[in-house]
Amino acid sequence: MSVNMLIADDHPLFRAAMCHALGTLPDIQLLEASSYPETLQRLHAHPDVEMVFLDLTMPGTEGLNGLVEIQAQFPDVLVVIITAQESPTIVEKAIALGASGFIPKSASVDCIIDAVETVLEGNTWVPTAALLVNETQTHFCNEFSSKLKLLTPHQLKVLQMVADGLLNKQIAYELAISESTVKQHVSAVLKKLGVINRTKAGIAFKNAMLTN
């Protein structure tokens, strides 16, 4: 049985390089997306996709937002981050937020194949050079990511908008829902994240999503 994979990156040359590398593996079917909105469209149109290679700097998303949103909407899809950013902090955050792997764009073909095979076997793959950050940072990543996974896709979208500084009536307009529904979502978000107000929720989310 073939494994369906989606390469989500806005650079055609890198997608071509990934296709070449993955083409050496047996029974692999590949799809491509050049933006984050297109990535979501592909996932909705192809529910049999099992693995996504997600660039962190594609048009339509910022930082680790895309990873979190895909995890919420498509919990059975394995997400492997591919990026030129290799700091241990980013690796730690990505894995804590649910990524199954983290492949630097500088990785060799053999390294990419090893990462894919490791993830398909149910394990997590990170570059050997990615040393763990300090224990305080690790604890924060794990604790916040656990709380974030309690949110429904709608609650996550509301949190993203709160973090962007939108007011309840603006969120209601954007999502085509009532303002009272937005207030219910915000209340549920605050409770699940264990914070006292929307400002603290927005700051915590922004900090967790940062990749620089």
Side-chain angles (χ1 to χ4, degrees):
M1 183 179 294
S2 63
V3 178
N4 296 291
M5 299 179 176
L6 173 61
I7 302 170
D9 191 283
D10 60 325
H11 294 94
L13 288 177
F14 183 77
R15 293 201 307 272
M18 284 293 291
C19 286
H20 173 71
L22 297 172
T24 62
L25 293 169
D27 301 320
I28 298 294
Q29 299 293 322
L30 298 174
L31 296 169
E32 298 180 35
S34 59
S35 69
Y36 183 67
E38 186 181 1
T39 299
L40 294 181
Q41 291 171 4
R42 293 284 193 192
L43 288 172
H44 282 294
H46 300 274
D48 53 351
V49 169
E50 297 180 39
M51 183 181 294
V52 176
F53 297 93
L54 182 68
D55 184 15
L56 292 181
T57 55
M58 277 195 305
T61 188
E62 180 181 357
L64 293 164
N65 277 278
L67 166 63
V68 171
E69 193 168 349
I70 290 174
Q71 291 281 300
Q73 292 191 40
F74 310 95
D76 294 329
V77 173
L78 301 171
V79 181
V80 175
I81 300 299
I82 47 173
T83 180
Q85 304 176 61
E86 303 179 33
S87 86
T89 300
I90 299 173
V91 176
E92 186 75 13
K93 282 185 176 182
I95 298 304
L97 290 167
S100 295
F102 193 103
I103 303 176
K105 287 192 173 182
S106 59
S108 65
V109 171
D110 288 342
C111 187
I112 293 171
I113 292 174
D114 178 52
V116 172
E117 290 178 338
T118 298
V119 172
L120 288 176
E121 289 171 358
N123 300 309
T124 300
W125 193 94
V126 295
T128 54
L131 301 175
L132 287 178
V133 294
N134 64 67
E135 291 185 6
T136 301
Q137 177 67 39
T138 301
H139 177 72
F140 168 78
C141 289
N142 291 334
E143 185 177 30
F144 188 78
S145 63
S146 296
K147 293 177 180 178
L148 210 56
K149 290 172 185 176
L150 298 175
L151 304 184
T152 67
H154 284 304
Q155 290 167 354
L156 177 61
K157 178 60 69 175
V158 168
L159 174 59
Q160 290 173 324
M161 291 182 169
V162 166
D164 287 336
L166 273 66
L167 302 174
N168 284 353
K169 62 181 179 180
Q170 294 172 310
I171 296 173
Y173 176 79
E174 292 292 333
L175 299 181
I177 58 179
S178 69
E179 197 169 339
S180 63
T181 300
V182 174
K183 290 178 180 178
Q184 290 173 6
H185 283 321
V186 171
S187 178
V189 167
L190 298 183
K191 184 175 180 180
K192 290 180 178 180
L193 295 185
V195 294
I196 60 173
N197 57 49
R198 59 192 294 137
T199 301
K200 288 186 178 297
I203 291 172
F205 183 77
K206 283 281 191 182
N207 287 339
M209 297 301 106
L210 284 175
T211 57
N212 51 33

